[in-house]
Amino acid sequence: MLAMANRFKSAIRVVVFVAAGAAVAGCAAQYRNHGYVPNEEDLAEVVVGVDTRDSVAETIGAPSSSGVLDESGYYYVATRLKHFGPSAPKPISRELVAISFDQAGVVSGVERYGLENGRVIPLERRVTSSGTQNSTFLRQLLGSLGNISPGSLLE
């Protein structure tokens, strides 16, 4: 009878230690990576003003997404999430590479952005200036309000 009680106690101890180990392991932080961002060496092969949409896709791969309106650019996004216990996953780093194209489909800019303290900051920027801004009609109208003089209205 005493031997059976000792076996029962040792079995309970094993179950308690296994349950405690599982609880501690379940509370360890887990990290997940989502998306793809090309590395610096691959981006260095993209030449602004020379490469086209097809050559960019061939050089660094298909983009995560592309511009919805008028096929304006390619976007490569990578996010690292931290999942801790029962809480919701939180992004701890996010990187975005935006490759913009002109009307002819030639690369006009390569920009790299990061997420620091919840704010998007530019990490790298290679853009050719076109002299014209990509802005809406309303923005152009409101931007020119300060440039109107009363004398020009009377002429």
Side-chain angles (χ1 to χ4, degrees), residues 27-110:
C27 290
Q30 297 177 357
Y31 297 92
R32 293 185 313 202
N33 296 320
H34 294 276
Y36 161 73
V37 170
N39 58 28
E40 293 294 327
E41 293 83 24
D42 291 341
L43 279 178
E45 294 180 19
V46 175
V47 180
V48 176
V50 175
D51 282 320
T52 62
R53 291 180 191 279
D54 294 334
S55 66
V56 168
E58 189 175 305
T59 303
I60 59 178
S64 301
S65 62
S66 59
V68 177
L69 301 175
D70 70 9
E71 293 290 323
S72 62
Y74 286 170
Y75 303 101
Y76 299 87
V77 182
T79 303
R80 184 167 173 86
L81 298 170
K82 178 181 180 180
H83 187 78
F84 187 75
S87 63
K90 294 181 183 175
I92 57 172
S93 70
R94 183 171 292 140
E95 194 172 347
L96 173 111
V97 171
I99 300 178
S100 54
F101 299 96
D102 61 10
Q103 296 295 332
V106 178
V107 174
S108 64
V110 177

Side-chain angles (χ1 to χ4, degrees), residues 140-154:
Q140 290 177 357
L141 181 66
L142 293 176
S144 65
L145 284 180
N147 298 332
I148 299 173
S149 67
S152 65
L153 293 176
L154 296 176

